[in-house]
Amino acid sequence: MMQVENTVTINSEDLQNEAKGLRFALPALGEFATGFVVRFRGKPYAYVNQCAHVSIELDWDEGEFFTSQKDYLICATHGAHYQPDTGFCVMGPCKGKRLKSIEVTEHNQQVVINIASISSK
Ligand code: FES
């Protein structure tokens, strides 16, 4: 992983389907803020690592974002479930809200995250 200014670049092979996600720093949101990227059904998705319920990180163990069935992203604290491809919370205390998404593209075997693009939705 390479983080230069507003871009985080990851080799595509380091991001496997429904496997561990990768975390990166989001200095624009504060000294300790992080984002993460996962691959779901072949495509990469990146979000701010912050539950829509309480502003804490989702992963229970570094990089663990998926439920055991690998169908949702889950917040380790109170169990909110999010659709991996939309960030929409379908179950839990923040049902109906969503994770803040970050723009991510993939080409030439590289996943490129534009950390200047954090959505305010
Ligand atoms: S902090 Fe994530 S569900 Fe409560």
Side-chain angles (χ1 to χ4, degrees):
M1 182 183 310
M2 214 172 69
Q3 188 151 356
V4 181
E5 291 186 9
N6 288 326
T7 306
V8 176
T9 306
I10 294 161
N11 290 330
S12 291
E13 65 187 27
D14 291 340
L15 199 61
Q16 297 293 325
N17 256 333
E18 288 89 59
K20 262 195 171 193
L22 295 170
R23 296 159 49 106
F24 47 86
L26 284 179
L29 296 189
E31 196 181 347
F32 301 109
T34 61
F36 68 96
V37 60
V38 291
R39 188 184 296 282
F40 180 66
R41 299 183 182 157
K43 284 183 68 179
Y45 297 94
Y47 298 101
V48 175
N49 192 6
Q50 203 173 72
C51 188
H53 173 220
V54 177
S55 302
I56 52 177
E57 295 187 339
L58 299 171
D59 41 341
W60 51 273
D61 200 8
E62 191 165 318
E64 299 293 349
F65 294 98
F66 281 103
T67 56
S68 50
Q69 283 86 16
K70 312 290 184 193
D71 48 358
Y72 290 102
L73 304 176
I74 183 170
C75 173
T77 306
H78 313 114
H81 282 48
Y82 298 93
Q83 290 174 336
D85 48 351
T86 64
F88 188 73
C89 180
V90 294
M91 191 174 108
C94 43
K95 191 171 170 184
K97 294 190 184 169
R98 35 178 94 233
L99 298 173
K100 294 190 177 97
S101 64
I102 308 177
E103 204 177 276
V104 51
T105 55
E106 184 167 32
H107 42 83
N108 297 334
Q109 296 303 307
Q110 293 204 311
V111 173
V112 180
I113 301 154
N114 173 8
I115 62 172
S117 71
I118 298 164
S119 111
S120 53
K121 282 186 286 178

